[in-house]
Amino acid sequence: MIKYYLLAPMYALRGWKRLPYAIQNLYYPKTEFFREHEWHLLKACNGNTPIDWNALPECDRAWYEKWEYGGFIFPCKQGETLNPNQEYRFYSARFKESVQWSITGKCNYQCKHCFMSAPHALQGEPSWEQLMTMLDAFARCGIKGLQLTGGEPMLRKDFWNLVDEILKRGMVIPVLYSNGLLITDKFLDELEKRHMRPSIQFSFDGVGYHDWMRGVKGAEKIVINAFRRCQERGIRTSASMVLFKENKNSIRDSVNLLAKLGCFGLKIGNASPQGEWKNQPEHYLSQEEMYEAFLEYIPQYFADGKPISLGLEGFFNYEKQLETSGSYNEKNIPEQNFSKTLMCGHVRREMYVSPKGNVLPCMSMVGSPIEEQFPNMLETPLEEILDSHSLYMEIINFRVSDFMQHNPECQVCPYKSNCCGGCRAIAVRDHPTDYLAKDLITCTYYKGGWKEKKDALLKRIGQKI
């Protein structure tokens, strides 16, 4: 029996240095990689290559059945062809799936804790020519998704011109970050004209406290209206919240309000002493105070029916869609796998680019001394930055074993397989030029007994640990 298959229209054949066999979603930054034999089976799904089903080994038939069931391929008549965009393209660069891109350092708010020191825009704003230089580099490297952030990204007068240039190159914008002021009906109309439905993440710092933190009167009402507009249009929204002494008791009211506004999920983290807030320590929460606030809220979260997905700065997270809970602080990697485990898995698929063009592992490192250790894509071609011998790749390729060698006292810590060094962005807050420094927050989570306190609480309220 002869069969013909075709790659589903939403997928394209792609390849990169060291990862030459992949299919990429054309409408969302999602890439799947294959071994060489599987790849050759996939390549035959071109509408013209006859597949002798009876002569195929059983394992190969199983692959085709799996891909058909998963929607990667579908049966077709002989002679049907792939769209030109689906044809194989090889990029002579190391793989990156998406970029969180600060297209401006300017903002229309005056947030007290901003690491870009709004409204002074210490990072500046790239010119149109510089934006195009960066955008062309992203396209040359086969990067699919551009998450636009700032500052306030929509503040750029050429914002829609940039969006059109991104779409023209076959890239997508899966996420926009905003304070909500410019998310008007007109703005949402422009998205619809372009058949775009990005998720939008808003900042929301607590019922009754948002105006004060953001430095603009009426900011809370503005962002609530922005949530409502998105809800009416069916646009997915999420939120981030910084915690400080004044708003720590507003978590419950804030989560329940966001749920009513259609918000999908909320991430809550401690406000850091940076930006305009460096000299206002009277507002800071200690780590212990933050954890106490989390322990107080968690039973309320479950009592309210887990209204939205929730992330509490590594301490506790709950994915509502999957109905799973956990903690990002708890990696639980066996010691024998330390040499294979990256310090941060997130940085392999994604990267951050600052308004100045600096290529960093994470946005949280902007404005810290370690930023200057990283290369600038306006000065060095991105292909070189992503080369295996570059400083950038050397740093993001650090393994847990490298961390242990750098921190001998951690080698004898009873929690080493749980913590694995913690978060790099948090580590450089306290050690601004040392990427392999200890994450003192994760240290406190374990050595201060907070994991045990959280586990005891979850057990007491009848939740799985």
Side-chain angles (χ1 to χ4, degrees):
M1 178 173 60
I2 301 297
K3 286 190 173 187
Y4 292 90
Y5 280 107
L6 203 62
L7 190 65
M10 68 181 68
Y11 296 109
L13 304 171
R14 298 291 184 262
W16 289 263
K17 276 187 177 179
R18 298 195 179 185
L19 293 169
Y21 311 121
I23 62 171
Q24 187 177 66
N25 192 311
L26 289 170
Y27 305 105
Y28 190 80
K30 181 67 176 175
T31 309
E32 300 282 345
F33 294 95
F34 299 88
R35 290 171 295 192
E36 186 175 3
H37 176 68
E38 299 161 13
W39 170 253
H40 286 298
L41 295 177
L42 264 176
K43 277 190 73 176
C45 299
N46 56 23
N48 285 305
T49 300
I51 298 169
D52 189 341
W53 195 254
N54 296 328
L56 280 178
E58 185 176 342
C59 58
D60 289 354
R61 288 199 300 270
W63 279 116
Y64 283 121
E65 289 168 349
K66 177 182 177 181
W67 294 333
E68 183 179 351
Y69 180 79
F72 289 119
I73 62 174
F74 63 93
C76 69
K77 296 178 182 178
Q78 182 182 8
E80 293 187 47
T81 59
L82 296 174
N83 182 296
N85 287 337
Q86 295 180 274
E87 298 287 352
Y88 182 66
R89 294 181 192 173
F90 179 80
Y91 300 99
S92 56
R94 294 291 295 274
F95 171 73
K96 285 288 179 182
E97 192 163 67
S98 62
V99 177
Q100 191 179 26
W101 187 18
S102 282
I103 59 175
T104 181
K106 294 180 179 179
C107 188
N108 43 13
Y109 278 12
Q110 302 175 44
C111 305
K112 292 175 172 57
H113 66 301
C114 180
F115 47 74
M116 289 198 181
S117 293
H120 308 302
L122 297 183
Q123 287 271 328
E125 182 174 271
S127 67
W128 176 257
E129 290 73 22
Q130 289 172 324
L131 280 184
M132 291 302 100
T133 296
M134 290 188 271
L135 183 57
D136 287 341
F138 298 148
R140 288 197 313 271
C141 293
I143 292 168
K144 189 65 183 177
L146 299 179
Q147 304 172 28
L148 301 186
T149 184
E152 175 62 26
M154 279 65 81
L155 201 60
R156 285 196 70 109
K157 294 179 180 178
D158 53 13
F159 176 79
W160 291 114
N161 292 334
L162 175 61
V163 168
D164 291 338
E165 290 293 334
I166 291 170
L167 299 179
K168 186 190 301 182
R169 288 163 175 77
M171 289 182 268
V172 297
I173 303 171
V175 185
L176 292 171
Y177 297 83
S178 178
N179 57 37
L181 180 58
L182 299 176
I183 306 299
T184 61
D185 285 326
K186 183 179 179 181
F187 177 88
L188 298 177
D189 288 342
E190 290 294 331
L191 287 181
E192 289 184 1
K193 282 182 189 176
R194 293 164 172 82
H195 307 288
M196 292 173 59
R197 298 185 70 82
S199 173
I200 303 179
Q201 180 172 306
F202 295 110
S203 302
F204 186 78
D205 295 317
V207 173
Y209 299 95
H210 188 70
D211 287 14
W212 180 81
M213 190 61 171
R214 297 290 151 179
V216 172
K217 188 176 180 179
E220 184 173 331
K221 183 178 179 180
I222 287 167
V223 74
I224 287 173
N225 287 335
F227 273 114
R228 285 185 175 134
R229 288 191 191 96
C230 291
Q231 185 179 29
E232 289 168 2
R233 306 270 187 131
I235 291 177
R236 176 169 161 149
T237 57
S238 61
S240 62
M241 177 179 180
V242 292
L243 215 59
F244 48 95
K245 283 190 175 178
E246 288 81 358
N247 76 344
K248 68 176 183 176
N249 295 319
S250 72
I251 299 176
R252 187 177 197 176
D253 288 342
S254 300
V255 168
N256 290 337
L257 171 63
L258 290 171
K260 290 178 183 177
L261 295 171
C263 180
F264 175 80
L266 171 67
K267 294 179 181 178
I268 303 177
N270 207 358
S272 299
Q274 52 193 359
E276 301 297 307
W277 217 17
K278 280 183 180 177
N279 301 314
Q280 300 185 44
E282 66 272 18
H283 301 295
Y284 305 163
L285 278 177
S286 68
Q287 186 177 351
E288 290 78 10
E289 289 172 319
M290 178 183 69
Y291 284 166
E292 287 289 359
F294 290 164
L295 289 175
E296 181 179 342
Y297 173 64
I298 287 172
Q300 299 169 355
Y301 174 71
F302 286 103
D304 294 339
K306 303 164 290 194
I308 58 178
S309 292
L310 182 71
L312 302 177
E313 198 171 80
F315 185 79
F316 173 80
N317 64 281
Y318 190 90
E319 296 292 337
K320 186 173 175 63
Q321 223 172 7
L322 301 175
E323 296 186 354
T324 58
S325 62
S327 166
Y328 295 128
N329 284 345
E330 300 170 26
K331 296 186 173 65
N332 303 318
I333 304 296
E335 187 173 354
Q336 61 266 28
N337 292 338
F338 281 0
S339 62
K340 303 174 185 177
T341 305
L342 292 164
M343 285 302 299
C344 178
H346 167 82
V347 298
R348 290 307 291 268
R349 283 184 176 259
E350 297 189 9
M351 65 183 186
Y352 169 75
V353 175
S354 76
K356 296 193 295 187
N358 289 335
V359 178
L360 304 171
C362 177
M363 186 179 189
S364 299
M365 296 180 183
V366 173
S368 68
I370 202 169
E371 180 181 0
E372 301 309 317
Q373 293 185 20
F374 288 93
N376 187 297
M377 65 180 295
L378 295 174
E379 300 168 359
T380 305
L382 185 57
E383 292 89 336
E384 291 184 23
I385 293 172
L386 298 180
D387 186 84
S388 56
H389 301 295
S390 72
L391 173 65
Y392 171 82
M393 291 299 293
E394 177 185 326
I395 289 176
I396 71 164
N397 277 328
F398 277 132
R399 267 46 177 188
V400 175
S401 55
D402 298 312
F403 172 86
M404 294 298 169
Q405 186 176 357
H406 189 71
N407 299 279
E409 65 274 26
C410 294
Q411 297 175 25
V412 295
C413 177
Y415 304 107
K416 62 183 177 182
S417 289
N418 302 94
C419 126
C420 296
C423 172
R424 298 302 83 213
I426 292 175
V428 300
R429 290 183 195 174
D430 298 303
H431 302 87
T433 59
D434 186 0
Y435 188 81
L436 285 176
K438 289 192 292 184
D439 166 5
L440 299 180
I441 288 181
T442 305
C443 279
T444 301
Y445 174 74
Y446 285 103
K447 293 181 178 179
W450 292 100
K451 178 186 177 338
E452 287 79 6
K453 292 177 185 178
K454 180 198 69 178
D455 289 350
L457 170 66
L458 291 172
K459 186 176 180 181
R460 189 165 65 247
I461 63 177
Q463 298 300 320
K464 291 182 180 179
I465 299 174

